[in-house]
Amino acid sequence: MKQSPPPFTTGPTAWTRSKPPLLRFLKACHAEFTSEIGGAVADYIPELGKADPAHFGISLATLDGHVYEVGDTQVPFTIQSMSKPFVFALALDTLGAARVESVIGVEPSGDPFNSIRLNAENHPFNPMVNAGAISCSGLIHEAKGDAAFEYIRQALGRFAGRELDVDDAVYASESATGDRNRAIGYLLRTNAVIKENVAAVLEVYFRQCAILVTARDIAVMAATLANRGINPVTGEQVMTPYAISRTLSVMTSSGMYDYAGEWIYRVGIPAKSGVGGGILAALPARLGLGSYSPKLDKHGNSVRGIKVCQALSSHYDLHMLNRSDDARNSIIADYDIGNSPSRRVRRAHEQNILAAHHQDVRVIELVGTLSFSNVDYVSRQLAARPRPQLVIFDLRRVTAMTRAGARLLAEEFRELAAHHVTVILSGIRRSSPDWKAIAEWTEGLTNIRNYYLLDAAIEWAEDQLVYRYGGAIDFFEATELSEQSLLAGLTEEELTDLASLASIQTYQTGEKIISAGDAATSLFFLRSGAVHVTLPDGVRLATLTAGMPFGEMALLEPHRSADVLADMAATAYEISLRDFERFRQQHPRAGERIMRNLAQLLADRLILANAKLDLLTSG
Amino acid sequence: MKQSPPPFTTGPTAWTRSKPPLLRFLKACHAEFTSEIGGAVADYIPELGKADPAHFGISLATLDGHVYEVGDTQVPFTIQSMSKPFVFALALDTLGAARVESVIGVEPSGDPFNSIRLNAENHPFNPMVNAGAISCSGLIHEAKGDAAFEYIRQALGRFAGRELDVDDAVYASESATGDRNRAIGYLLRTNAVIKENVAAVLEVYFRQCAILVTARDIAVMAATLANRGINPVTGEQVMTPYAISRTLSVMTSSGMYDYAGEWIYRVGIPAKSGVGGGILAALPARLGLGSYSPKLDKHGNSVRGIKVCQALSSHYDLHMLNRSDDARNSIIADYDIGNSPSRRVRRAHEQNILAAHHQDVRVIELVGTLSFSNVDYVSRQLAARPRPQLVIFDLRRVTAMTRAGARLLAEEFRELAAHHVTVILSGIRRSSPDWKAIAEWTEGLTNIRNYYLLDAAIEWAEDQLVYRYGGAIDFFEATELSEQSLLAGLTEEELTDLASLASIQTYQTGEKIISAGDAATSLFFLRSGAVHVTLPDGVRLATLTAGMPFGEMALLEPHRSADVLADMAATAYEISLRDFERFRQQHPRAGERIMRNLAQLLADRLILANAKLDLLTSG
């Protein structure tokens, strides 16, 4: 990485030429493999032979729903054997795993896809060979009767995110030339794998193989497999995670027929091909790939499609068994409230209690994906140090939770409950999927609290300590001006003069006292109750109790920069700026003292803000 | 989740009873499966028959190097077939993939482990059956001759993190009864898979199978496989990621022999068992499991060990193909420097330039693991908005980078270079592994800068804008007191009186002007050059240029709270607090004005600090 200075040039037009590197890579693959003209278009039925051998499309769908497309990604072709994994998943969710797994095996056969051989129990070896796939269609037919095919077409449409059509010409010629599959069908019925009308089941199977898809469809369907059954474009949960992971399992062990071992070894991405020229590859938690190029190798796999899969895997080292991660990345901050109290400005006796007991509240801010490894690490961090009374888990930056992570977290709450530790969750709403995932395992726990704002969670925890250590708060006891921090150091006489200028205001709970943007014409000294200061965007800056000033920035700024609302019934001394100006003329020393107190107050807030910044950025 | 208040009770003693939930789960498994007394201890050689059928140990090693142990995890037993994956990995790294892959296949055989059948090319089907494993020992012997076994023992020791011994009695009886393996050995030589002295090769193989390990060893060895070849306890890179991922591939397709398909389907964790009673399971990027219980089922797998693997997989839903992730979690903040300038306090004309052009510098703060998905998402965020002149990537909180992530990131830098965008990396050191991973693909790029501190990176980017838009900075031009922000609004007369109290000090580059903790006896007004304010812990609070005060907190605090050092040759006006007090007595209005300016200055800093906090906490 050299260090010579860069030029500042180029107009905005250049921007349009900028592309994500992944798109550039896919374009490069397309350009390079277009020259691969080996292989032959499938012609065991005339209709397939009509495919244009020049067609070549590559599409990649990410799990946040972006779809890259290069070349002929909109050309429709028949899905053929790529329908097998989806119909197997559909069978698992429709008839239940027990039923399906009782008649279809999951071991590789070592035979070609159209082998008629069954396993030792006279069942199909797995759902990826024709015998297994026809059995799946039979199971769907068993459950749905004449509606079976439409049921399958709708399901595949949900994987693709759009309605899928059928190529009737291909279907007709598949049916006309499908005797080997008929033989398999009847063999399956003699072994009671199919109980139904074999002819009807085979029509379902032939039709499902003739469903029309594009490379883009295949990419989205694959991404849905890679995303635990959630279509990343439509957001729909198409199948259960169980059906999806088991489908990927049989794709891994048998998806590429007698080439399966080589495929895991060299490419390491679960995949399925179809004689129509399509290949789908699904890398869990990463991407879905769809390619279309009709020329096939001797295994019946698209020549260019295989090249694309191999290039993607090797260029980016994407082998599914070559993963790394770091558990420690999930804790972004771990501290007690000594360094980071709530924004509630506390009075002296409360401050003393919190100063003595701040270690009793531990705050752990988590980020990213909460996985098995991440939550286990967090639980060991908790076990390693003396037990606090309350633990706040801030989940605001948690963007995903695996089932393992959710379950381990719930088990940690149970562990803490057993030691009478209160758990407070912030940054998560009870309506969220993550909350539901945790709640599945927290039945009966009574030690869990929930405040969406971390500051509110810390404030509640502080109150628990204040109550516990005897510092009951009487919000309604009124205070004198002499108790005001901003007026500290003023003489009796100065205070009396100032008091004569003050009027006592009364506010109801929720009443807005100051509005951001208004002219700042007076300052306030809170006499009783509590108010909070909030930015227009809703960020809560502070909660104030009796003895604290508010609107004091009027001494520096002509306009209000924040809203102030009453948290409860409250009273305040209000002094107009005009009167205060006059007071400062008469008492210049007091004026300077007040300015000094104001600077002190701002300095204290700045120290807190910087301490909090250091916590967050020392990560 | 109920809401009744929790009791505050229990003494610190209770803490000792607290455990991570994962440890509780493993204890529960151990308790439950101890009652599983089915199966039989291997007895094809007398020595193995001597194992105590009651022994049961479970150990789980995490990828951050923590090892959980339950039961008989320290009891030694012979590794047997669990040596196969490690010796295969060793062969790949010792003789090269091409050589090894040319003589050993990677397809499942569908046969028992001791099958003598070879594949169509008269090669072993895969390295997990005896024929393949003996071939691996043969390759090592080819490379190392008589030192072959010691070479293997040392390598397995690096996987375990300790020296491993051999059970000579077991070795002797394996050798005495190993005729079937001898037959395989000679068959391999007739097919030129083994070129060596077959007897010598078999002695290596028999010895390697008799290496003594514990459940704990196996867990750590498995965790090393799950961690891309880095032993998580010792931190040593034991094998290359290529060898590891390919070893996991053959474990996946053939590790459980004719039970492989079922194993992927039901458990979904690459595993290997040994007739000694051990099972190892390696879940990439998650964990390594080692169990020991000598009673075996008809497949030759430990009955209790299988139960533990199944329970772990199903309880935490850990199937390797059932993964989720969220690309969007990697960007924790994305902003231009309008909201978040450097801590360098700028003079008016510089502020104007930065105010007009702040969109030209974009800061992207990243967190967690930079994976293929995460970096692809970042690249699309960059492509989506108008191009800045400079992009700062802050990697301070990045704890891991996959090869895919590193390569995509380097490709993004190349993309930005093509558009003359300068890339600044902060939070990463050139000596770090992550830097090296990126540098592998940034050959020839000249648009990359590196400042460890984000603030320094932003400051450098600001300077680029200031220079570019014509705001050359003359650090050496001296300023008058009248230009001092803290003295704004003072009259000519007040300024003249104040100037008469000031002495001009000169400092050399790096000279310490103020030390934290000292008594604050004077305040300073920077006249020329630049200084920076740093906390004792090294956190840089601000960089100041001529016209700015420092040590001004002396007006509020009796002691210095930070160090101030000269960034370059600098001069300053110094005024002692005693003189300043006298000045305030004589000019109360000026004193109030200065206090007001100080409050203003602190208010401005507070606004910046809060803005930065909002950026970081808005998630």
Side-chain angles (χ1 to χ4, degrees):
Chain A
M1 301 187 182
K2 306 211 195 78
Q3 290 296 299
S4 71
F8 277 108
T9 57
T10 73
T13 58
W15 185 241
T16 58
R17 284 186 280 101
S18 170
K19 294 190 178 48
L22 184 52
L23 180 55
R24 289 212 183 273
F25 170 78
L26 296 174
K27 284 175 176 290
C29 285
H30 189 272
E32 179 179 355
F33 301 135
T34 296
S35 62
E36 292 280 345
I37 54 170
V41 175
D43 55 5
Y44 68 90
I45 59 171
E47 282 303 320
L48 287 179
K50 294 178 183 167
D52 178 348
H55 277 154
F56 186 21
I58 307 173
S59 181
L60 187 151
T62 70
L63 301 198
D64 62 308
H66 184 80
V67 184
Y68 292 107
E69 296 185 61
V70 181
D72 307 314
T73 55
Q74 306 292 339
V75 175
F77 58 97
T78 53
I79 190 169
Q80 301 294 345
S81 289
M82 289 186 297
S83 65
K84 292 170 176 174
F86 302 103
V87 176
F88 176 61
L90 183 63
L92 284 172
D93 277 354
T94 305
L95 291 96
R99 173 85 177 91
V100 176
E101 292 161 9
S102 69
V103 293
I104 305 174
V106 294
E107 290 296 337
S109 69
D111 294 332
F113 67 94
N114 59 358
S115 167
I116 199 161
R117 188 163 70 98
L118 300 181
N119 68 17
E121 290 121 4
N122 284 315
H123 291 167
F125 278 90
N126 62 67
M128 298 295 108
V129 293
N130 290 10
I134 291 166
S135 306
C136 290
S137 306
L139 289 165
I140 301 292
H141 191 272
E142 195 178 309
K144 300 292 173 182
D146 294 347
F149 172 70
E150 182 58 17
Y151 182 71
I152 289 172
R153 193 183 65 85
Q154 293 291 343
L156 267 58
R158 288 196 297 280
F159 274 102
R162 70 177 186 99
E163 283 269 317
L164 299 175
D165 300 328
V166 178
D167 184 324
D168 291 318
V170 171
Y171 156 63
S173 52
E174 295 263 15
S175 181
T177 61
D179 289 340
R180 185 179 183 84
N181 286 327
R182 286 196 178 82
I184 292 172
Y186 286 102
L187 182 66
L188 291 168
R189 193 164 67 179
T190 60
N191 293 297
V193 173
I194 294 184
K195 300 188 173 57
E196 301 288 297
N197 171 340
V198 172
V201 168
L202 286 164
E203 293 315 302
V204 170
Y205 177 70
F206 292 138
R207 262 211 191 77
Q208 105 191 17
C209 291
I211 285 174
L212 285 165
V213 291
T214 65
R216 185 186 206 280
D217 293 327
I218 291 298
V220 174
M221 295 171 87
T224 304
L225 292 175
N227 198 32
R228 305 179 83 240
I230 298 167
N231 180 317
V233 176
T234 66
E236 181 183 3
Q237 179 89 50
V238 176
M239 298 283 155
T240 63
Y242 178 90
I244 295 296
S245 58
R246 272 41 182 192
T247 298
L248 288 166
S249 299
V250 291
M251 283 169 64
T252 301
S253 55
S254 316
M256 303 304 270
Y257 312 122
D258 47 343
Y259 187 56
E262 283 281 336
W263 186 261
I264 301 180
Y265 190 88
R266 309 221 172 273
V267 179
I269 303 177
K272 190 79 196 78
S273 65
V275 291
I279 289 187
L280 78 79
L283 185 61
R286 288 290 172 266
L287 61 88
L289 180 76
S291 77
Y292 171 56
S293 173
K295 286 183 144 189
L296 312 179
D297 64 19
K298 66 177 196 307
H299 296 282
N301 300 323
S302 166
V303 172
R304 288 167 172 168
I306 294 282
K307 293 273 180 194
V308 173
C309 291
Q310 289 170 334
L312 182 69
S313 171
S314 67
H315 184 85
Y316 290 116
D317 204 10
L318 289 179
H319 195 290
M320 70 176 173
L321 295 168
N322 193 9
R323 304 189 61 112
S324 62
D325 208 342
D326 188 326
R328 281 153 294 189
N329 71 27
S330 59
I331 297 182
I332 189 165
D334 180 355
Y335 51 91
D336 69 43
I337 58 172
N339 291 332
S340 179
S342 73
R343 285 170 171 167
R344 158 105 146 259
V345 183
R346 299 274 178 183
R347 292 156 79 180
H349 69 290
E350 297 170 46
Q351 280 175 14
N352 297 339
I353 290 172
L354 295 176
H357 300 284
H358 58 81
Q359 319 89 321
D360 286 349
V361 181
R362 184 162 171 187
V363 182
I364 296 179
E365 299 189 20
L366 299 169
V367 67
T369 298
L370 289 193
S371 67
F372 176 85
S373 306
N374 292 338
V375 179
D376 170 59
Y377 177 78
V378 170
S379 71
R380 280 184 278 115
Q381 296 313 299
L382 275 162
R385 290 214 250 130
R387 184 179 65 261
Q389 304 265 15
L390 305 100
V391 180
I392 298 172
F393 293 96
D394 183 62
L395 307 181
R396 193 178 2 159
R397 300 188 205 82
V398 170
T399 52
M401 213 181 264
T402 65
R403 273 181 69 79
R407 184 160 195 174
L408 258 184
L409 194 58
E411 289 174 346
E412 177 62 32
F413 295 167
R414 199 167 289 283
E415 182 73 22
L416 292 168
H419 295 84
H420 309 288
V421 175
T422 301
V423 170
I424 309 167
L425 299 180
S426 61
I428 181 171
R429 301 193 190 282
R430 282 163 179 273
S431 56
S432 70
D434 285 351
W435 182 281
K436 289 182 178 63
I438 299 169
E440 195 176 323
W441 290 294
T442 52
E443 190 51 47
L445 288 186
T446 62
N447 66 320
I448 299 174
R449 297 290 176 280
N450 172 229
Y451 292 90
Y452 189 72
L453 294 175
L454 174 57
D455 186 64
I458 294 176
E459 187 176 335
W460 184 82
E462 288 171 343
D463 286 344
Q464 301 309 304
L465 293 184
V466 169
Y467 294 141
R468 175 173 191 215
Y469 295 104
I473 305 165
D474 178 359
F475 285 110
F476 300 102
E477 155 208 3
T479 52
E480 299 304 318
L481 272 182
S482 58
E483 298 178 59
Q484 290 287 330
S485 53
L486 192 63
L487 305 180
L490 267 60
T491 64
E492 278 304 326
E493 181 219 353
E494 291 164 341
L495 283 168
T496 315
D497 288 8
L498 193 59
S500 68
L501 305 172
S503 61
I504 294 181
Q505 310 290 348
T506 304
Y507 308 102
Q508 305 313 314
T509 305
E511 184 175 347
K512 190 183 250 191
I513 305 169
I514 288 179
S515 298
D518 289 358
T521 57
S522 65
L523 48 158
F524 298 80
F525 299 91
L526 192 58
R527 179 168 168 275
S528 69
V531 301
H532 65 270
V533 186
T534 315
L535 290 180
D537 64 11
V539 175
R540 191 185 178 102
L541 290 182
T543 305
L544 306 173
T545 52
M548 305 293 159
F550 61 96
E552 75 279 6
M553 295 305 283
L555 295 173
L556 301 176
E557 307 290 349
H559 293 91
R560 304 296 191 188
S561 59
D563 297 333
V564 177
L565 293 91
D567 270 349
M568 58 182 69
T571 62
Y573 303 98
E574 179 172 14
I575 300 176
S576 77
L577 269 191
R578 199 183 302 95
D579 291 344
F580 190 75
E581 274 310 319
R582 211 174 306 113
F583 171 80
R584 279 160 60 189
Q585 303 301 334
Q586 296 155 12
H587 304 282
R589 201 203 63 81
E592 190 210 345
R593 180 71 203 198
I594 290 169
M595 276 301 171
R596 182 203 168 107
N597 290 339
L598 177 61
Q600 186 73 63
L601 196 135
L602 291 165
D604 295 345
R605 290 181 196 164
L606 187 61
I607 285 163
L608 272 186
N610 283 330
K612 179 70 176 168
L613 268 176
D614 289 345
L615 267 178
L616 282 171
T617 56
S618 59
Chain B
M1 301 187 179
K2 307 216 195 77
Q3 290 295 298
S4 71
F8 276 109
T9 58
T10 73
T13 57
W15 184 243
T16 59
R17 285 185 281 102
S18 169
K19 292 189 178 51
L22 183 52
L23 180 55
R24 290 212 183 272
F25 170 77
L26 295 173
K27 284 174 175 293
C29 285
H30 189 272
E32 179 179 354
F33 301 135
T34 296
S35 62
E36 294 280 343
I37 54 170
V41 176
D43 55 4
Y44 67 92
I45 59 171
E47 283 303 320
L48 287 180
K50 295 179 183 165
D52 178 347
H55 278 155
F56 185 21
I58 307 173
S59 181
L60 187 151
T62 70
L63 300 198
D64 62 308
H66 184 78
V67 184
Y68 292 107
E69 296 185 63
V70 180
D72 306 314
T73 56
Q74 306 291 339
V75 175
F77 58 96
T78 52
I79 189 169
Q80 300 296 346
S81 289
M82 290 186 295
S83 65
K84 292 170 176 174
F86 302 103
V87 176
F88 176 62
L90 183 63
L92 284 173
D93 277 354
T94 305
L95 291 95
R99 173 86 178 88
V100 176
E101 291 160 10
S102 68
V103 293
I104 305 174
V106 294
E107 290 297 338
S109 69
D111 294 334
F113 66 95
N114 59 359
S115 167
I116 198 162
R117 188 165 71 97
L118 301 181
N119 68 16
E121 290 123 1
N122 284 315
H123 291 167
F125 278 90
N126 63 67
M128 298 295 106
V129 293
N130 289 9
I134 292 166
S135 305
C136 289
S137 306
L139 288 165
I140 301 291
H141 191 271
E142 195 177 309
K144 300 293 173 181
D146 295 347
F149 172 71
E150 182 59 17
Y151 182 72
I152 289 171
R153 194 184 65 85
Q154 293 290 343
L156 268 59
R158 287 196 298 279
F159 274 101
R162 70 176 186 98
E163 283 267 320
L164 299 175
D165 299 328
V166 177
D167 184 324
D168 291 319
V170 171
Y171 156 63
S173 54
E174 295 263 15
S175 180
T177 63
D179 289 339
R180 185 179 182 83
N181 286 327
R182 286 195 179 82
I184 292 172
Y186 287 102
L187 181 67
L188 290 168
R189 193 163 68 178
T190 60
N191 292 295
V193 174
I194 294 183
K195 301 192 173 53
E196 302 288 297
N197 172 340
V198 173
V201 168
L202 285 163
E203 293 314 302
V204 171
Y205 178 71
F206 293 138
R207 260 208 193 81
Q208 108 192 13
C209 291
I211 285 174
L212 285 165
V213 291
T214 65
R216 185 187 205 280
D217 293 328
I218 291 298
V220 174
M221 295 171 87
T224 304
L225 292 175
N227 199 32
R228 304 179 84 240
I230 298 167
N231 180 317
V233 177
T234 66
E236 181 182 4
Q237 179 89 49
V238 176
M239 297 282 156
T240 63
Y242 179 90
I244 295 297
S245 59
R246 272 39 183 194
T247 298
L248 288 165
S249 299
V250 291
M251 284 169 64
T252 301
S253 55
S254 316
M256 303 304 271
Y257 312 123
D258 47 342
Y259 188 56
E262 282 281 337
W263 186 262
I264 300 180
Y265 190 88
R266 311 224 169 268
V267 180
I269 302 177
K272 190 81 197 76
S273 65
V275 292
I279 289 188
L280 78 80
L283 185 61
R286 287 289 173 267
L287 61 88
L289 179 77
S291 78
Y292 172 55
S293 173
K295 285 182 146 189
L296 311 179
D297 64 19
K298 66 179 196 305
H299 296 281
N301 301 322
S302 166
V303 173
R304 289 167 172 167
I306 295 282
K307 293 273 181 195
V308 172
C309 292
Q310 289 171 334
L312 182 69
S313 172
S314 66
H315 183 85
Y316 289 116
D317 203 11
L318 289 179
H319 195 291
M320 70 175 173
L321 294 168
N322 192 10
R323 304 189 61 115
S324 62
D325 208 342
D326 187 326
R328 281 153 295 190
N329 72 27
S330 59
I331 298 183
I332 189 167
D334 179 356
Y335 50 91
D336 70 42
I337 58 172
N339 291 332
S340 179
S342 74
R343 286 171 170 166
R344 160 105 145 258
V345 183
R346 299 274 176 182
R347 293 156 77 181
H349 70 289
E350 297 169 45
Q351 281 175 16
N352 297 339
I353 291 172
L354 295 176
H357 300 285
H358 58 81
Q359 321 88 320
D360 286 349
V361 182
R362 185 161 171 188
V363 183
I364 296 179
E365 299 189 19
L366 299 169
V367 68
T369 298
L370 290 193
S371 67
F372 176 85
S373 305
N374 292 339
V375 180
D376 170 58
Y377 178 77
V378 170
S379 72
R380 280 183 279 116
Q381 296 312 299
L382 274 163
R385 290 215 250 129
R387 184 177 68 261
Q389 305 266 15
L390 305 101
V391 180
I392 297 170
F393 293 95
D394 184 61
L395 307 182
R396 192 179 9 171
R397 301 187 203 81
V398 170
T399 53
M401 211 180 268
T402 65
R403 273 181 70 78
R407 184 159 196 175
L408 257 186
L409 193 58
E411 289 175 344
E412 177 61 31
F413 295 166
R414 199 168 290 283
E415 182 72 22
L416 291 169
H419 294 84
H420 308 288
V421 175
T422 301
V423 169
I424 309 166
L425 299 180
S426 60
I428 180 171
R429 302 194 188 280
R430 283 165 179 270
S431 56
S432 70
D434 285 351
W435 182 281
K436 288 182 180 59
I438 299 169
E440 193 175 326
W441 290 296
T442 51
E443 190 52 48
L445 288 186
T446 62
N447 66 320
I448 299 174
R449 297 289 176 278
N450 172 228
Y451 292 90
Y452 189 72
L453 294 175
L454 174 58
D455 186 64
I458 295 176
E459 187 176 336
W460 184 82
E462 288 171 344
D463 286 343
Q464 301 309 304
L465 293 185
V466 170
Y467 295 140
R468 173 170 192 220
Y469 294 104
I473 305 165
D474 177 359
F475 285 110
F476 301 102
E477 155 208 3
T479 51
E480 298 306 317
L481 272 181
S482 59
E483 297 177 62
Q484 289 286 332
S485 53
L486 192 63
L487 305 180
L490 267 60
T491 63
E492 278 304 325
E493 181 221 352
E494 291 164 342
L495 282 168
T496 315
D497 287 9
L498 194 59
S500 68
L501 304 173
S503 62
I504 293 180
Q505 310 289 349
T506 305
Y507 307 103
Q508 303 313 314
T509 305
E511 183 175 346
K512 191 182 246 190
I513 304 169
I514 287 179
S515 296
D518 289 359
T521 57
S522 65
L523 46 158
F524 298 80
F525 299 92
L526 191 58
R527 179 169 169 275
S528 69
V531 301
H532 65 270
V533 186
T534 316
L535 290 180
D537 64 12
V539 176
R540 192 186 179 100
L541 290 181
T543 305
L544 307 173
T545 54
M548 305 292 160
F550 61 95
E552 75 278 6
M553 295 305 284
L555 295 173
L556 301 176
E557 307 291 349
H559 294 91
R560 305 295 190 187
S561 59
D563 296 332
V564 176
L565 293 91
D567 269 349
M568 57 181 69
T571 63
Y573 303 97
E574 180 173 13
I575 300 176
S576 78
L577 269 190
R578 198 183 303 95
D579 293 344
F580 190 75
E581 273 311 319
R582 210 175 305 112
F583 170 81
R584 279 161 57 191
Q585 302 302 335
Q586 296 155 10
H587 304 283
R589 202 202 62 81
E592 189 210 347
R593 181 72 204 199
I594 290 169
M595 275 302 172
R596 182 204 168 108
N597 291 339
L598 176 60
Q600 187 73 65
L601 196 137
L602 292 165
D604 295 345
R605 289 180 196 163
L606 186 60
I607 286 162
L608 272 186
N610 283 329
K612 178 71 176 168
L613 269 176
D614 289 346
L615 269 178
L616 283 172
T617 56
S618 58

